[in-house]
Amino acid sequence: MSRRTRFSQAAVAVTVVALAAAGCGKSSTDSATSSSKDGKYSGKGIGLAYDIGGKGDQSFNDAAYAGFKKAQDEFKIGGRDIEPQANESDADKIQRLETLAKAGYNPVIGVGFAYAPAVKQVASKYPKVTFGIIDDNTIQAKNVADMVFHEEQASYLAGVAAAKATKKHHIGFIGGVDIPLIHKFEAGFDQGAKSVDPKIKIESQYLTQTPAEGGFSSPDKGENAANGQIDAGADVIYHAAGLSGQGVIKSAAEHKVWAVGVDSDQYQQSALAKYKDYILGSALKNVGGAVYDLAKSVYDGKPLSGEVRGDLKSGGVGFADSNPKYKALPGVAAAVDKARQDIVSGKITVNTK
């Protein structure tokens, strides 16, 4: 059964917890059996398996953790979250998900498209457990929720903001890995920027060809790429590079130009506090809301399944405007708001390629 849902938009704080060694990566564990007041839910809580970069990336994985923690706190249920290993195989991911399902966690969520083969295999072995996967919609199973997003819509807003904020009519895009998912970010960004200035110059670079090469987990690669784009003349740089984006933001701040963050509101992230004055805004993907909503659906005894896609209209994607300097820039916020309205109304259709 396929369902569309409004991802939870309640603010969730990312809390640091102690990590203990586990046989399949590092994990934070709460093994207490949980149950709902009406008896619909009985289990150990939520099982969460992180993507490349792990917890602490201040972006994609931390957004998932925020939803995990919010669900735990609100429903008074347990949970276990497990870190990835370096250069791991599909077999490692399968073992990780099996460990969670066998132990009684429900739902079990793989954070990132790389979990698709593992979710497909393990979900078939545990039909009474609900599985979720972020950023993949290829798994057709009654007990799997494919949690995906219109990233291109949020990126369009980032492009509008960048084109309005640049003083040089020259901006940049840095993608972590050269794959179709990240192409969506670039396509939306380019279209949004050119809607403001058709002649704007846009630098573009992908850090690696495959995730295994560190495109989503290497701040040094992000910093070097940003240095190159800034040297070429760009004064606003948007990244879709996970943990590598921290290097992009560092470079932008050191050169006193704008960076645009991704997935989480990176202006609010503690690890990036010393750079935040140069974070123009962030293209949001409500991964935390997706994790929370799946956990809630299982807790309520009505588990989501099929494709669950977040867009601007549902609150599944958006653009963060936390930086007061963004709001003070003439015409930027108004242009972004107008673009948001036009996308939601259907006046603008955003490219995915």
Side-chain angles (χ1 to χ4, degrees):
M1 177 173 56
S2 178
R3 304 183 185 181
R4 293 174 67 89
T5 187
R6 177 182 295 276
F7 291 135
S8 172
Q9 297 180 63
V12 284
V14 176
T15 307
V16 177
V17 297
L19 296 176
C24 197
K26 295 179 180 178
S27 71
S28 164
T29 306
D30 178 356
S31 60
T33 299
S34 309
S35 61
S36 60
K37 291 180 180 179
D38 57 13
K40 291 181 180 178
Y41 178 82
S42 179
K44 285 190 174 180
I46 313 161
L48 191 70
Y50 293 112
D51 197 12
I52 295 169
K55 189 161 60 180
D57 66 356
Q58 310 295 314
S59 183
F60 183 64
N61 288 291
D62 279 0
Y65 175 71
F68 167 85
K69 190 66 170 63
K70 180 176 186 288
Q72 277 193 292
D73 292 345
E74 186 168 320
F75 307 132
K76 308 302 181 186
I77 59 177
R80 181 177 179 184
D81 57 328
I82 306 181
E83 296 283 345
Q85 297 175 335
N87 302 314
E88 67 181 20
S89 65
D90 284 344
D92 294 317
K93 292 182 174 66
I94 290 168
Q95 181 186 352
R96 185 173 304 131
L97 298 187
E98 281 203 10
T99 297
L100 293 168
K102 188 175 181 180
Y105 292 97
N106 188 18
V108 173
I109 302 170
V111 184
F113 63 86
Y115 277 95
V119 169
K120 184 176 181 179
Q121 179 170 325
V122 181
S124 67
K125 294 179 64 176
Y126 295 88
K128 293 183 179 181
V129 175
T130 294
F131 290 81
I133 182 167
I134 305 290
D135 284 347
D136 181 87
N137 65 347
T138 64
I139 303 170
Q140 307 298 317
K142 291 181 179 180
N143 63 326
V144 176
D146 297 324
M147 298 180 287
V148 289
F149 303 84
H150 280 294
E151 298 91 351
E152 72 280 1
Q153 294 181 351
S155 296
Y156 185 102
L157 302 184
V160 170
K164 293 292 289 186
T166 180
K167 295 179 179 179
K168 298 182 178 180
H169 305 283
H170 192 167
I171 61 178
F173 171 81
I174 294 174
V177 181
D178 191 358
I179 52 176
L181 174 65
I182 307 303
H183 298 167
K184 290 174 66 181
F185 287 87
E186 182 181 14
F189 180 70
D190 285 5
Q191 185 183 355
K194 290 177 180 177
S195 75
V196 174
D197 180 0
K199 295 183 179 180
I200 196 168
K201 186 172 183 180
I202 305 175
E203 304 288 334
S204 177
Q205 183 174 349
Y206 288 86
L207 300 180
T208 64
Q209 293 298 305
T210 67
E213 295 172 282
F216 292 132
S217 56
S218 305
D220 59 325
K221 294 182 188 296
E223 183 175 0
N224 290 336
N227 287 342
Q229 293 194 354
I230 294 166
D231 287 345
D235 64 351
V236 186
I237 300 177
Y238 172 45
H239 84 85
L243 181 64
S244 299
Q246 293 190 24
V248 175
I249 292 169
K250 176 176 181 287
S251 172
E254 289 178 347
H255 288 87
K256 300 186 185 308
V257 302
W258 289 117
V260 179
V262 77
D263 293 339
S264 297
D265 182 354
Q266 297 201 287
Y267 178 84
Q268 301 283 9
Q269 300 301 313
S270 58
L272 300 172
K274 62 183 175 181
Y275 310 128
K276 69 179 185 178
D277 284 347
Y278 295 95
I279 300 175
L280 179 66
S282 298
L284 299 176
K285 185 159 73 170
N286 197 1
V287 174
V291 170
Y292 170 86
D293 285 346
L294 183 59
K296 183 178 187 301
S297 75
V298 174
Y299 181 80
D300 289 342
K302 300 177 181 178
L304 293 168
S305 66
E307 182 177 297
V308 184
R309 185 176 291 275
D311 57 13
L312 277 177
K313 187 174 183 178
S314 71
V317 300
F319 189 77
D321 58 1
S322 301
N323 191 344
K325 292 183 178 181
Y326 163 84
K327 298 174 183 177
L329 290 171
V332 178
V336 171
D337 288 343
K338 178 63 165 58
R340 180 186 290 107
Q341 293 168 17
D342 287 345
I343 293 170
V344 170
S345 71
K347 184 176 180 180
I348 293 175
T349 300
V350 185
N351 298 332
T352 58
K353 296 182 181 180

